[in-house]
Amino acid sequence: MTTAINADGQRKPPLLEIDDVVAGYGAGVILKGVKLVLHRGDVMCLIGPNGAGKSTVLKTVSGLLRPKDGAVRLEGEDVTTEAPKAKLRRGVVHVPQERSLFPGMTVWDNLLMGGYLMRNNKILHARIDEAAQMFPIITSRRSAHAGSLSGGEQKQVELARTLLFDPKLILLDEPSIGLDPKSRRLVFDAIRSLAAAGRTILLVEQNARSGLAASDQGAVLESGLVRLTGPAAHLLGDPEVARLYLGASQHARPSNNAPALSSALAAVAAPTPQEELT
Amino acid sequence: MHALIQGLILGVLTGGVYALMASGQTLIFGIMKVVNLAQGAFVIASAYLAFTLFTRFGIDPFLAVLITTPLMFCIGAAGQWLFLRPLRRENAAELSLLVTFALALLIEGILSVTYSTTYRSINTGYANKSFEVAGYTVSAVRLYGFLLSIALLGLLYGVLQKTRFGRAIRATVQNPQSAALLGVDATRVQAYGFGLGISTAAASGSIFGLLYPFQSGSHYDLISRLLSVVVLGGLGSIGGAVLAGIAIGVVSSVAAVLWSPTWSEMSFFVVLLLVLLVRPQGMFGRVERGAV
Ligand SMILES: Nc1ncnc2c1ncn2[C@@H]1O[C@H](COP(=O)(O)OP(=O)(O)O)[C@@H](O)[C@H]1O
Ligand SMILES: [Mg+2]
């Protein structure tokens, strides 16, 4: 299904269509024809092993990387070649995998940078106040240097900053990576609140179980191709997905004679806290 | 003791001017990792501009700053757009050294053709005026030049800290990808940032022209001093450049008082080498990123 029927019974194109996108860095090809469809109000979790190209998918959507072939469409409009600035104006906000705050600037200045394209200060301040309801840290630590906040606090400020765009689509790349369990829970709570507020989110998570649990839809990316899509609950219940991507749960440990690839994937997806950070 | 304090006063006043010149150069490094070898040439070009505005139109060199500053900003932004922007990212750092050196030679050439190579100086009515304060002599030109430099450094700081453009510059320095993801156009920030860095040469040129005789080749000596100041302060750190400018000004004029003017000339490089032995990143430099 690539079209949804809206309240008036008219066919409306999906919010985001990634259509046979081929992309890579320099001459190399990482994405070999990725296809994904995301509807308004949905949260989709993209999972897959390290190096599969998940971050690259988000970069082609936000405009950081221009696809070599295929198309990216927003509400039916072809936006394949648009730069990040044009995408932002359409309401597409990308929170990259790497820390994205400006460490030497205060939390407040970081928020103001979120309003860089906004000429109307009144609206900006109103949106900051609004974002503070969900992320009180942006007022309580307003004058602190972003670099002095903990990883979890920084992530909250990053999430708060996306709200200043009143985003149509939020691209979240591994928001829980490198966080302690408590901060990780806060981040997933925040994602759920954003979803409850009707935001559309494309989420990339190494922490596949928590990611899928917070999502409506799921997709599996492997070696630059989408291998599987479906409702997140189905993916969570799928024994094959569980074995490959959800890590060893009580009853489904990967056996020692599992194929090399599978065990490598399971190792990657195992729910051990990953403290190393870029 | 009297001579020492007199030297200190002179050093602080001169150092303030070096601080202004160096702040622009270190800003440019912070934004685009370009060591701008043409900074000295832009200062000398500004000195000539002030010279012409004074001798032809009777405009005071301190007032001329109102004209030369925006002009230098535009020339700087255009120069970045024309000569530096096209460089391929992978080897931009090395190539930019050649490009800015070529730019310095181009400016020198234009100045030699326009003004010939004889030494010029700007002789205003107050050129030899000085104040007596508690037995110490303070030259009027040096005092005004120092005050103007400090005021402009304050203005530069305000622009960087409090304006939308300044925030975009700092953001680009600290995290270029993240700045782009928030809608900052890096090419524009670099062009305007280069312009801002060059614009500090305008007032510095007026003051330099009032203090010393100059000719088109004077930029070689100047740029080697500026490089010392910038490296000493830590590449990319404006606060560091200010303190290093004043520190070097003080050391060189105290050296002139205590030993000889030859030592004063050398002191820039001696201080630089000594500090770098202890702190290779400069007094205030951070090893990783610019501190703008
Ligand atoms: N900036 C880059 N330049 C060159 N290769 C890159 C770059 N970023 C990622 N890659 C490569 O692209 C592949 C996919 O990376 P990425 O999309 O980050 O994977 P994932 O997010 O799924 O872990 C990897 O092999 C990685 O080495
Ligand atoms: Mg990634």
Side-chain angles (χ1 to χ4, degrees):
Chain A
M1 188 180 84
T2 54
T3 51
I5 316 277
N6 72 3
D8 313 325
Q10 288 169 322
R11 285 177 160 263
K12 255 184 121 181
L15 181 67
L16 171 70
E17 283 171 282
I18 303 177
D19 199 359
D20 274 332
V21 161
V22 176
Y25 306 90
V29 166
I30 304 293
L31 305 183
K32 301 163 185 161
V34 167
K35 262 181 184 301
L36 278 177
V37 173
L38 184 55
H39 291 282
R40 216 167 269 94
D42 275 359
V43 177
M44 176 185 275
C45 182
L46 185 60
I47 61 175
N50 246 331
K54 303 180 297 296
S55 298
T56 308
V57 169
L58 297 194
K59 286 182 204 166
T60 61
V61 176
S62 68
L64 272 184
L65 186 67
R66 185 185 282 214
K68 299 179 199 288
D69 199 10
V72 176
R73 281 187 286 274
L74 271 173
E75 305 181 299
E77 225 178 305
D78 189 329
V79 296
T80 315
T81 57
E82 284 185 359
K85 194 166 162 180
K87 297 276 174 56
L88 276 174
R89 292 222 154 98
R90 293 179 181 277
V92 178
V93 187
H94 182 173
V95 182
Q97 187 172 339
E98 306 79 33
R99 293 192 175 186
S100 73
L101 294 183
F102 306 108
M105 290 166 67
T106 60
V107 167
W108 182 251
D109 274 357
N110 268 281
L111 293 173
L112 292 183
M113 277 309 297
Y116 181 72
L117 290 180
M118 220 180 287
R119 292 304 184 147
N120 187 330
N121 272 330
K122 245 200 197 137
I123 299 182
L124 175 62
H125 286 115
R127 289 201 184 146
I128 292 179
D129 288 346
E130 232 173 278
Q133 315 235 307
M134 195 179 288
F135 302 100
I137 187 165
I138 62 175
T139 10
S140 61
R141 301 300 301 279
R142 176 192 154 115
S143 313
H145 277 245
S148 70
L149 303 186
S150 74
E153 292 172 326
Q154 293 196 24
K155 206 37 94 176
Q156 296 193 39
V157 177
E158 289 177 61
L159 291 174
R161 195 168 61 181
T162 65
L163 292 180
L164 308 184
F165 294 90
D166 189 17
K168 266 193 192 134
L169 171 62
I170 306 177
L171 307 168
L172 288 184
D173 201 344
E174 312 236 11
S176 74
I177 198 168
L179 300 185
D180 58 88
K182 187 171 156 254
S183 313
R184 215 182 300 160
R185 229 169 298 126
L186 281 176
V187 164
F188 283 113
D189 286 349
I191 292 171
R192 277 197 204 88
S193 325
L194 289 171
R199 302 289 178 185
T200 312
I201 302 174
L202 180 52
L203 167 71
V204 167
E205 254 308 328
Q206 196 64 243
N207 221 308
R209 195 177 290 281
S210 315
L212 285 171
S215 305
D216 310 298
Q217 301 288 320
V220 177
L221 190 78
E222 215 187 278
S223 328
L225 284 169
V226 175
R227 292 292 157 106
L228 201 61
T229 56
H234 284 195
L235 263 62
L236 271 174
D238 185 318
E240 181 70 5
V241 172
R243 190 170 64 81
L244 292 183
Y245 302 106
L246 301 184
S249 65
Q250 305 77 303
H251 30 265
R253 287 212 156 263
S255 62
N256 282 338
N257 49 12
L261 175 68
S262 306
S263 43
L265 296 183
V268 156
T272 45
Q274 297 187 318
E275 293 306 335
E276 86 283 1
L277 197 63
T278 44
Chain B
M1 192 60 203
H2 182 274
L4 188 66
I5 290 175
Q6 183 70 63
L8 261 173
I9 294 172
L10 181 67
V12 169
L13 296 183
T14 315
V17 186
Y18 280 116
L20 178 62
M21 295 183 199
S23 66
Q25 188 167 23
T26 211
L27 176 69
I28 287 171
F29 183 84
I31 298 172
M32 54 194 100
K33 305 289 168 278
V34 164
V35 176
N36 175 29
L37 295 179
Q39 191 80 13
F42 280 110
V43 172
I44 301 301
S46 304
Y48 274 111
L49 273 174
F51 172 80
T52 299
L53 287 170
F54 180 66
T55 51
R56 285 280 185 84
F57 306 101
I59 300 174
D60 183 273
F62 283 112
L63 269 183
V65 166
L66 294 175
I67 302 168
T68 54
T69 302
L71 186 66
M72 282 296 145
F73 177 87
C74 295
I75 292 176
Q80 195 280 338
W81 188 261
L82 281 176
F83 300 120
L84 290 169
R85 185 183 52 104
L87 299 182
R88 288 166 56 87
R89 191 169 302 179
E90 305 88 77
N91 40 21
E94 295 88 356
L95 282 182
S96 65
L97 274 177
L98 298 180
V99 171
T100 58
F101 188 58
L103 200 56
L105 295 182
L106 176 70
I107 294 169
E108 180 187 347
I110 293 172
L111 293 176
S112 325
V113 171
T114 317
Y115 293 97
S116 87
T117 52
T118 45
Y119 275 90
R120 314 276 173 163
S121 50
I122 308 175
N123 296 304
T124 54
Y126 50 82
N128 296 315
K129 200 177 142 200
S130 58
F131 306 104
E132 292 290 326
V133 183
Y136 298 103
T137 315
V138 180
S139 129
V141 169
R142 282 184 195 273
L143 180 64
Y144 300 156
F146 175 78
L147 293 177
L148 178 63
S149 299
I150 296 304
L152 288 176
L153 282 168
L155 192 64
L156 181 65
Y157 181 82
V159 166
L160 287 173
Q161 292 297 321
K162 298 288 174 212
T163 69
R164 176 174 178 271
F165 171 52
R167 270 196 302 275
I169 288 185
R170 284 186 293 143
T172 304
V173 169
Q174 294 177 20
N175 193 337
Q177 171 181 276
S178 184
L181 282 176
L182 297 173
V184 177
D185 186 340
T187 40
R188 202 181 299 175
V189 162
Q190 295 192 340
Y192 292 166
F194 200 80
L196 191 61
I198 298 297
S199 70
T200 63
S204 322
S206 277
I207 302 165
F208 191 86
L210 284 164
L211 289 177
Y212 313 103
F214 56 94
Q215 53 107 273
S216 51
S218 304
H219 71 99
Y220 294 107
D221 184 46
L222 195 52
I223 191 65
S224 57
R225 287 169 188 236
L226 287 185
L227 284 174
S228 309
V229 172
V230 166
V231 171
L232 188 60
L235 278 163
S237 161
I238 291 186
V242 170
L243 290 177
I246 291 179
I248 279 194
V250 167
V251 169
S252 68
S253 65
V254 168
V257 171
L258 294 186
W259 297 299
S260 77
T262 323
W263 272 106
S264 162
E265 298 282 316
M266 295 263 295
S267 60
F268 274 72
F269 312 107
V270 173
V271 171
L272 177 67
L273 286 174
L274 289 180
V275 171
L276 290 188
L277 277 179
V278 189
R279 273 183 73 82
Q281 70 273 42
M283 288 193 294
F284 302 93
R286 297 179 211 171
V287 186
E288 294 286 332
R289 63 189 154 78
V292 174

